[in-house]
Amino acid sequence: MASNSLAGSSSVVGLGTSTLSRSCVRSSAINLTSGFLKSKVAARNPLSLSLACASGGRFTCFERNWLRTDYNVIGFGLIGWIAPSSIPAINGNSLTGLFFSSIGEELSHFPSPPALTSQFWLWMVLWHLGLFLCLTFGQIGFKGRTEDYFEK
């Protein structure tokens, strides 16, 4: 009779619906499950990818083409920045005009670098800051729309 009771799974008195199978009784580690406890989930480490998934046997955190560059974004972003920065809004001059004219002034005395008090640095920083912001938001908007990040 004792062998018949171990043949199937028997319930353990105690926590919820715990069961023991015959293979668990013979092993030294007994696995009990309970309705009160959540099942253990193995923690996933993004750095421990299998070699089949990693590129060339190296561990990678990002996909290979993480930037997902697109020439449409670069072209439209450049046009999208040059057009508004060419509006004459600074004492009748545009930011692009002031930046390019300051480049010409600094190239007139080429071997020596621009002075720290030169207006070139201000126009260069403002022009490039605007360009990079336009390209960044263009990339977010264009890729977000093509990859359905935004709900309609």
Side-chain angles (χ1 to χ4, degrees):
M1 258 194 12
S3 63
N4 287 340
S5 65
L6 289 177
S9 63
S10 61
S11 63
V12 175
V13 177
L15 301 174
T17 58
S18 300
T19 59
L20 288 175
S21 66
R22 183 175 183 173
S23 60
C24 290
V25 172
R26 289 185 180 171
S27 68
S28 62
I30 298 175
N31 294 325
L32 297 175
T33 58
S34 171
F36 294 111
L37 300 174
K38 293 182 181 180
S39 63
K40 291 182 181 178
V41 178
R44 294 182 57 199
N45 185 353
L47 296 177
S48 64
L49 296 174
S50 66
L51 291 178
C53 295
S55 59
R58 290 174 284 151
F59 295 114
T60 57
C61 294
F62 300 104
E63 58 186 65
R64 202 169 238 336
N65 188 16
W66 64 270
L67 187 57
R68 296 187 296 262
T69 56
D70 191 353
Y71 294 117
N72 290 326
V73 173
I74 295 170
F76 287 128
L78 189 60
I79 292 169
W81 173 240
I82 289 177
S85 68
S86 296
I87 297 171
I90 306 169
N91 295 330
N93 293 322
S94 66
L95 180 60
T96 302
L98 289 169
F99 176 50
F100 289 159
S101 67
S102 68
I103 291 173
E105 291 172 10
E106 295 302 327
L107 284 176
S108 66
H109 53 83
F110 170 63
S112 62
L116 290 177
T117 59
S118 174
Q119 288 286 315
F120 166 75
W121 299 111
L122 174 67
W123 305 133
M124 184 194 71
V125 167
L126 287 176
W127 196 87
H128 282 91
L129 182 68
L131 175 67
F132 295 146
L133 283 173
C134 192
L135 290 174
T136 301
F137 289 134
Q139 177 78 356
I140 291 169
F142 190 81
K143 286 300 179 181
R145 182 145 188 170
T146 58
E147 295 180 9
D148 293 331
Y149 287 144
F150 309 121
E151 295 180 19
K152 294 181 181 180

